Amino acid sequence: MLRRPTPKNSPKTDLSITFDVLWKTHNESAVELLLHALDSPLKPIRDGALESLLKRRTTLGNQEIINRLATLDAGAREIVGEYHRYLGRGLRDSIQSADPKVFATGCAATLEFHDYDMLPTLVHTAEDETHPHRDLAAQHVLKLAELLYDELATGQSTSAGRDPPLMRKHMLHSLEQSLARLPQHKRPEIVEALLLLAPREYPALQKILADPMHVAYLSVIDLLTHSTRGGVIRLVLSFLDDPQAPSTVIKLFGRRSDKLFLEHFLRKIGSQPSSVMTQNLHKIETICWMQDHVRLVDQLEEAVQGGSVQLALTSNISRHTKFKLIEHLVRFGKPAGRRAAALALASFQGAEANQLAQEALQDPDPQVQAHVLVQIRSRGITGALPLLLSMLDSQYECIRNAARRSLEEFSFDRFFAAFDSLDDHVRRTTGPTVRKVDLTVPKRLQEELDARSRTRRIRAVAMASSMGLVPQFETQIIQRLTDEDHLVRAEAAKALAQCPTDHARRALLAARHDRSIVVQEGAAQSLQHWGFDSMVEDLLAADAVAAKEKL
């Protein structure tokens, strides 16, 4: 509750001095006067009387204020909120009252002003079998616990001067004492309130979970299994991070199938659970919804469907149940769920898994296709190699990368090492594939073109030709036409047949005058390949004219 701003060093008015006297005097007649002032037509007088009555803390004054709460304006309620702790006895009397209106007013004020000091009174009323409003009191115990849980979760206190962690400690103490009397009052709301506020290491909770004979054991397990309140779900999920998590709680994860819990549970698991979490998940031997109601996963948000795959793979459930989830998600999951399932499919072999993989290759999501594409060769699927080769030209980068991963034998190193032993046909059919698979080809080829070894330079030019990379390396190969070794020059001349550019033509025309006949023949063959024989003399004549003009 926000405090009303009070200007520092503000001068006292006659009215404020009067109210100071009225709340400090020991004369009880002042209370009557202040009560009458609450009905004044002037707001400053009403507000002053309200504040003075709160400060006096009299039973009569507090009860009147509580009775009027529903009719107070916003400014007056702010004053009550600032001094609500002064209403203590009045609120307690209201909560314990058998009068429905008085009881309801007291409970409403307790919740409105987050008066956690009233918890013991609400608990006592809820336990009292003779009290006509014990059911409502028990509900308000739970509501008050929820208010404090929200403050603890957000880190924002609405009660000025109150420390939420300290309030939690006091409230847990009261709730724990009441828990010992559970066989008498049988109030599940009190148990749930404790679960809302208790951390997993709370001694009383640990004691209950370790002792199936504890009076609160069955009630606690039931609530941990079925409660959809955020604080209880938080408590259950916190045990995933506990290396000593009780086995009774671990079993809960396989029994709960409510959508809210599952979404929080699977989101917490994510795609990479911690080592402790993995250890706990592996202890789960049964997941009821996955075994009997796998379609429940369709109701989950896309972002958490992947978590269900991680849960299935990490848990200790049967492989049949795991595959059933994977199969369902591959066929009917949302995009993120299908991707996770397609990736997990690699862990399953056999005819059913192979059939599912082939279906996934038709998925509209390229990432799903990519995850399955890397599996098809190991599955022995017919036509895998031609399919992978065709996928090297996919418009999607992820699919191209998946195809490359599956065709790693088409590497530059292997092609380079075997090149001299391959015939021309194998070179021409294998080279383009190597170029598409191994992204280091351009860099490695440049290194070979610049190598000191004549053999490596010759091989590099021939490899560029077989891989269809001559146009990309046109400048470097033209430079090889002036190589010191005539065999390198000859190989370069033959390779330039793939470059029908003016630059290449002129270089080849010049190479026709090379001192080596082998180079001359190679240049002539390349020019002839592009049908340039008839143009050769014209080009030479044009060069001669250009040379004369230059002189």
Side-chain angles (χ1 to χ4, degrees):
M1 184 64 62
L2 298 176
R3 286 185 178 275
R4 294 179 300 126
T6 303
K8 292 183 178 180
N9 302 320
S10 57
K12 292 268 188 179
T13 64
D14 290 342
L15 189 59
S16 64
I17 292 172
T18 299
F19 281 121
D20 278 349
V21 171
L22 288 174
W23 81 263
K24 291 177 181 178
T25 181
H26 295 291
N27 190 336
E28 290 301 318
S29 61
V31 174
E32 287 292 332
L33 182 59
L34 289 170
L35 289 172
H36 284 297
L38 290 176
D39 296 318
S40 171
L42 301 176
K43 181 173 174 55
I45 293 178
R46 294 197 306 271
D47 289 350
L50 178 63
E51 184 171 343
S52 296
L53 279 171
L54 286 164
K55 290 178 179 180
R56 286 189 68 91
R57 307 190 190 189
T58 61
T59 302
L60 182 61
N62 286 351
Q63 193 58 59
E64 183 63 25
I65 292 171
I66 292 171
N67 292 339
R68 289 172 177 255
L69 277 175
T71 61
L72 296 179
D73 59 32
R77 297 181 83 84
E78 189 175 339
I79 294 171
V80 177
E82 183 176 351
Y83 296 103
H84 73 88
R85 293 174 66 186
Y86 294 178
L87 292 173
R89 180 180 296 177
L91 284 179
R92 281 191 289 272
D93 291 343
S94 296
I95 292 170
Q96 292 174 334
S97 173
D99 184 290
K101 185 176 180 180
V102 174
F103 172 81
T105 301
C107 288
T110 297
L111 296 181
E112 179 178 353
F113 303 123
H114 293 213
D115 197 336
Y116 303 120
D117 291 330
M118 292 298 108
L119 180 79
T121 304
L122 285 168
V123 168
H124 176 75
T125 304
E127 290 184 16
D128 186 355
E129 294 183 3
T130 65
H131 199 288
H133 310 305
R134 66 188 302 255
D135 291 344
L136 287 174
Q139 293 175 24
H140 280 82
V141 167
L142 193 49
K143 290 178 181 178
L144 198 61
E146 282 192 295
L147 290 176
L148 181 55
Y149 169 75
D150 289 340
E151 288 191 21
L152 291 164
T154 61
Q156 297 179 348
S157 175
T158 57
S159 298
R162 309 307 297 273
D163 178 29
L166 182 60
M167 290 296 97
R168 174 168 67 175
K169 182 178 179 181
H170 293 328
M171 289 178 68
L172 282 173
H173 178 69
S174 295
L175 294 168
E176 182 182 342
Q177 287 183 319
S178 179
L179 218 59
R181 300 185 291 271
L182 185 62
Q184 288 74 46
H185 60 72
K186 298 180 177 61
R187 302 306 321 191
E189 299 90 345
I190 292 175
V191 182
E192 192 166 13
L194 184 138
L195 296 178
L196 272 172
L197 299 177
R200 70 167 186 263
E201 63 273 9
Y202 189 63
L205 177 61
Q206 291 284 340
K207 183 178 179 181
I208 294 170
L209 293 174
D211 181 10
M213 302 305 294
H214 193 283
V215 294
Y217 179 83
L218 293 178
S219 183
V220 166
I221 295 300
D222 181 66
L223 286 165
L224 292 177
T225 305
H226 299 104
S227 175
T228 57
R229 297 184 188 277
V232 179
I233 290 176
R234 168 207 57 81
L235 175 63
V236 175
L237 295 181
S238 71
F239 282 100
L240 284 174
D241 302 314
D242 183 2
Q244 304 298 327
S247 59
T248 50
V249 177
I250 295 298
K251 291 177 181 178
L252 295 179
F253 292 107
R255 292 206 294 265
R256 291 202 64 157
S257 59
D258 50 296
K259 181 174 178 288
L260 180 63
F261 176 82
L262 285 181
E263 290 193 337
H264 281 86
F265 177 29
L266 299 177
R267 187 176 288 110
K268 184 175 178 67
I269 293 175
S271 59
Q272 292 183 321
S274 67
S275 58
V276 172
M277 192 181 299
T278 300
Q279 172 187 325
N280 283 325
L281 292 175
H282 188 65
K283 296 176 184 176
I284 302 175
E285 297 182 346
T286 303
I287 302 177
C288 297
W289 68 268
M290 204 176 288
Q291 183 174 324
D292 303 322
H293 307 287
V294 71
R295 288 186 177 276
L296 184 62
V297 76
D298 298 339
Q299 303 174 24
L300 303 179
E301 295 178 6
E302 177 180 353
V304 302
Q305 280 192 344
S308 68
V309 174
Q310 190 64 49
L311 170 62
L313 295 180
T314 311
S315 66
N316 202 23
I317 61 177
S318 70
R319 285 187 65 80
H320 173 72
T321 302
K322 293 180 181 183
F323 183 75
K324 189 161 65 171
L325 175 75
I326 301 301
E327 181 180 35
H328 184 82
L329 281 176
V330 165
R331 289 174 175 160
F332 308 110
K334 296 168 178 137
R338 298 202 308 277
R339 291 172 190 169
L343 189 61
L345 186 58
S347 302
F348 299 87
Q349 301 299 322
E352 286 185 312
N354 292 347
Q355 176 60 37
L356 191 60
Q358 289 181 295
E359 289 181 29
L361 286 173
Q362 308 304 317
D363 194 280
D365 188 316
Q367 192 65 59
V368 173
Q369 295 181 44
H371 287 328
V372 177
L373 203 59
V374 298
Q375 305 172 25
I376 61 173
R377 290 189 78 179
S378 63
R379 293 183 181 280
I381 293 176
T382 305
L385 186 58
L387 175 62
L388 288 167
L389 292 173
S390 68
M391 290 300 182
L392 289 171
D393 296 316
S394 171
Q395 62 177 312
Y396 300 107
E397 178 71 17
C398 61
I399 292 179
R400 296 197 300 271
N401 287 337
R404 292 187 186 109
R405 286 173 54 195
S406 300
L407 297 168
E408 289 180 344
E409 70 268 29
F410 291 93
S411 68
F412 180 89
D413 287 332
R414 292 190 64 178
F415 190 51
F416 182 82
F419 188 79
D420 292 339
S421 63
L422 303 176
D423 60 38
D424 287 342
H425 174 72
V426 175
R427 288 179 179 181
R428 288 194 303 273
T429 55
T430 306
T433 302
V434 173
R435 181 193 69 208
K436 295 175 183 178
V437 171
D438 192 338
L439 298 181
T440 69
V441 163
K443 178 176 179 295
R444 300 293 304 280
L445 203 56
Q446 182 64 62
E447 292 172 355
E448 295 303 312
L449 286 169
D450 296 334
R452 297 183 63 182
S453 167
R454 176 190 72 174
T455 304
R456 289 173 63 185
R457 295 200 301 275
I458 293 173
R459 188 186 295 120
V461 174
M463 287 178 68
S465 179
S466 67
M467 288 190 282
L469 287 174
V470 174
Q472 183 176 333
F473 284 88
E474 178 185 9
T475 301
Q476 293 89 332
I477 292 176
I478 287 175
Q479 290 175 354
R480 296 278 73 80
L481 286 174
T482 60
D483 195 277
E484 61 184 20
D485 189 280
H486 73 286
L487 294 179
V488 176
R489 298 197 303 274
E491 193 67 41
K494 288 192 295 182
L496 286 173
Q498 297 182 17
C499 285
T501 65
D502 288 342
H503 189 199
R505 293 172 198 165
R506 293 187 182 280
L508 289 170
L509 287 172
R512 291 192 62 187
H513 303 291
D514 193 275
R515 61 183 180 273
S516 169
I517 295 177
V518 177
V519 177
Q520 294 175 22
E521 291 176 349
Q525 289 175 4
S526 293
L527 289 168
Q528 185 178 9
H529 176 77
W530 293 105
F532 294 145
D533 269 359
S534 61
M535 301 173 59
V536 168
E537 297 303 326
D538 293 338
L539 288 169
L540 289 173
D543 285 346
V545 171
K548 287 181 180 179
E549 290 177 352
K550 200 170 187 178
L551 292 174

